[in-house]
Amino acid sequence: MLDYIIVGSGLAGIAFAETLLQNKKSFVIFDNHSQNSTRIAGGLYNPVILKRFSEVWNAEQQLQIADDFYKKIEEKLSLQVDFKLPIYRKFFSVEEQNNWFMASDKRNLAPFLSITIIQKKYSSIDSPFGYGEVLHTGFVDTVVLLEKYQEYLQEMNLFAESTFDYDQLQIFNDNITYQNIKAKHIVFAEGFGMHANPFFNYLPLDGTKGELFIIKAPELNIDVIVNTSVFILPLGNHLFKVGATYNWADKTNTTTEEGKQELTDRLREILTCDFEIIEHFAGVRPTVKDRRPLLGTHPLHKNLLILNGLGTRGVMLAPAMAIDLYHFIENGKPLDRTIDIKRYAIS
């Protein structure tokens, strides 16, 4: 009997799989690659909500856990996926500068907001009011992470590329069986695909579609992530990732002319140089209205668990949430009530 079956191999599924490996637990992952939010993610990690200059929930702890997690992945797979890079928030007025300094005086934000205004001039970006530097930031190459980690799991015969058939899941008091596999627990980490899951589709997962670009801009020369109405992330060779839109109505993975126009307009407000759109992609983020993940046990079946709702901050959240869920299952450590799905009990 295996310890676990995991359904889904995005950031949530990979983080939980790695946690199991580090604790010498047996498992297999099922995934049909139908959910692509991790593949199209910006991959940024940032401890500050820059629209409001407020702290991300549990940011310091999440950053510490994520840093250790990605280091271990890099050592295991002999590649780099975590790129430490400052985020520069462009100021549009003296008022924004003042708001930044007020935020940097707050105890929870002081470790993350530099009090020095950056006056560096970048070609093709007009910035008369300078930038504020966010500390302890960077990005994870989620495409490389997923591809290489899934290859690693396949080599160890821990990955099944197949659509999970809920009708074939049999639930018993102390185990579950699926096809010819028996396991103690099953963890669903399906992202927006949770809506097809008959056991957890009562949860209020409200997907948010995002569209992004890869652009080529030979005249743009930045060595940091610039954040304005969009982020601009340097990839090298004059290529930049740009994003993202937020659409709460459209739940498809297809790109739209509206999304393209929105990103193009925002870029033209920021850049004074020409750019070429090399790639345009879209995906649905697994977001929750209360901005907290969805972790916990099915109300009727203790062997069925969920790890979902990581939203726009999956790179930061996934490692910490995987550890929390693991200790909840294996050691009986209670989940924080703000992330436990008991907050959405079936009436």
Side-chain angles (χ1 to χ4, degrees):
M1 176 160 42
L2 295 179
D3 293 308
Y4 290 87
I5 292 172
I6 303 171
V7 182
S9 67
L11 275 171
I14 281 178
F16 196 72
E18 179 62 17
T19 302
L20 294 181
L21 286 172
Q22 291 177 15
N23 288 279
K24 297 180 170 50
K25 298 293 183 180
S26 57
F27 68 91
V28 64
I29 287 188
F30 286 86
D31 196 330
N32 64 357
H33 303 301
S34 65
Q35 303 304 309
N36 70 338
S37 64
T38 297
R39 289 182 179 277
I40 67 94
L44 274 62
Y45 52 90
N46 169 14
V48 182
I49 300 169
L50 290 173
K51 281 186 179 178
R52 300 187 293 274
F53 297 151
S54 56
E55 183 198 14
V56 171
W57 169 70
N58 271 0
E60 192 167 358
Q61 179 190 33
Q62 289 171 23
L63 282 174
Q64 289 173 352
I65 292 171
D67 187 60
D68 180 62
F69 173 81
Y70 294 116
K71 276 181 185 171
K72 287 178 178 174
I73 293 284
E74 289 177 330
E75 290 168 3
K76 177 181 288 190
L77 302 183
S78 299
L79 53 81
Q80 184 177 6
V81 296
D82 183 4
F83 298 86
K84 311 292 186 189
L85 208 60
I87 292 178
Y88 282 9
R89 166 64 154 81
K90 180 184 169 182
F91 294 132
F92 289 88
S93 65
V94 172
E95 183 184 8
E96 280 199 338
Q97 291 177 345
N98 292 335
N99 290 340
W100 179 275
F101 286 125
M102 288 173 61
S104 68
D105 278 340
K106 296 178 181 177
R107 183 175 57 85
N108 290 344
L109 288 171
F112 305 125
L113 299 180
S114 170
I115 58 173
T116 303
I117 292 181
I118 306 295
Q119 295 291 0
K120 185 172 181 178
K121 299 299 181 184
Y122 288 105
S123 62
S124 305
I125 299 180
D126 187 23
S127 55
F129 299 100
Y131 304 88
E133 180 180 0
V134 189
L135 308 174
H136 310 295
T137 60
F139 73 96
V140 170
D141 189 330
T142 55
V143 173
V144 170
L145 173 64
L146 258 64
E147 288 179 356
K148 297 303 180 184
Y149 200 87
Q150 288 172 0
E151 287 175 11
Y152 166 75
L153 292 174
Q154 286 171 334
E155 289 169 5
M156 296 172 62
N157 293 319
L158 300 176
F159 189 92
E161 190 167 339
S162 125
T163 299
F164 190 84
D165 183 355
Y166 304 100
D167 291 334
Q168 292 192 46
L169 182 65
Q170 294 182 287
I171 305 165
F172 303 100
N173 284 334
D174 57 354
N175 66 78
I176 54 97
T177 62
Y178 178 70
Q179 296 175 347
N180 61 341
I181 301 170
K182 181 183 285 190
K184 295 176 185 174
H185 311 279
I186 183 166
V187 173
F188 293 101
E190 305 150 298
F192 192 66
M194 185 203 80
H195 285 283
N197 185 326
F199 304 105
F200 289 104
N201 60 9
Y202 70 92
L203 292 169
L205 190 71
D206 181 31
T208 309
K209 181 173 181 173
E211 298 189 50
L212 297 93
F213 284 164
I214 303 291
I215 65 166
K216 187 168 188 177
E219 295 174 45
L220 179 60
N221 183 26
I222 57 173
D223 53 1
V224 298
I225 302 164
V226 173
N227 180 286
T228 59
S229 56
V230 291
F231 68 80
I232 306 173
L233 189 163
L235 301 174
N237 298 318
H238 307 299
L239 297 175
F240 302 86
K241 182 179 283 189
V242 177
T245 63
Y246 289 83
N247 186 323
W248 288 268
D250 185 354
K251 310 298 184 184
T252 69
N253 292 327
T254 52
T255 58
T256 66
E257 281 302 313
E258 292 81 6
K260 182 179 180 180
Q261 192 63 51
E262 180 180 341
L263 287 176
T264 301
D265 289 346
R266 290 187 187 181
L267 271 173
R268 286 181 175 147
E269 290 173 357
I270 301 160
L271 301 182
T272 59
C273 64
D274 291 332
F275 58 88
E276 177 188 359
I277 300 168
I278 302 298
E279 191 175 352
H280 178 196
F281 43 96
V284 181
R285 312 171 186 93
T287 53
V288 186
K289 279 192 170 64
D290 66 6
R291 300 177 185 273
R292 290 290 186 271
L294 299 170
L295 276 69
T297 308
H298 187 274
L300 302 178
H301 307 295
K302 64 180 181 179
N303 301 317
L304 275 57
L305 299 110
I306 188 167
L307 175 55
N308 208 319
L310 304 186
T312 61
R313 300 188 182 271
V315 161
M316 270 180 68
L317 276 170
M321 294 302 96
I323 290 171
D324 282 359
L325 186 64
Y326 177 81
H327 287 305
F328 169 71
I329 300 167
E330 296 290 338
N331 304 315
K333 183 181 177 183
L335 293 168
D336 185 313
R337 61 181 179 79
T338 65
I339 63 175
D340 194 325
I341 61 171
K342 284 181 181 175
R343 69 193 193 273
Y344 297 117
I346 301 174
S347 56

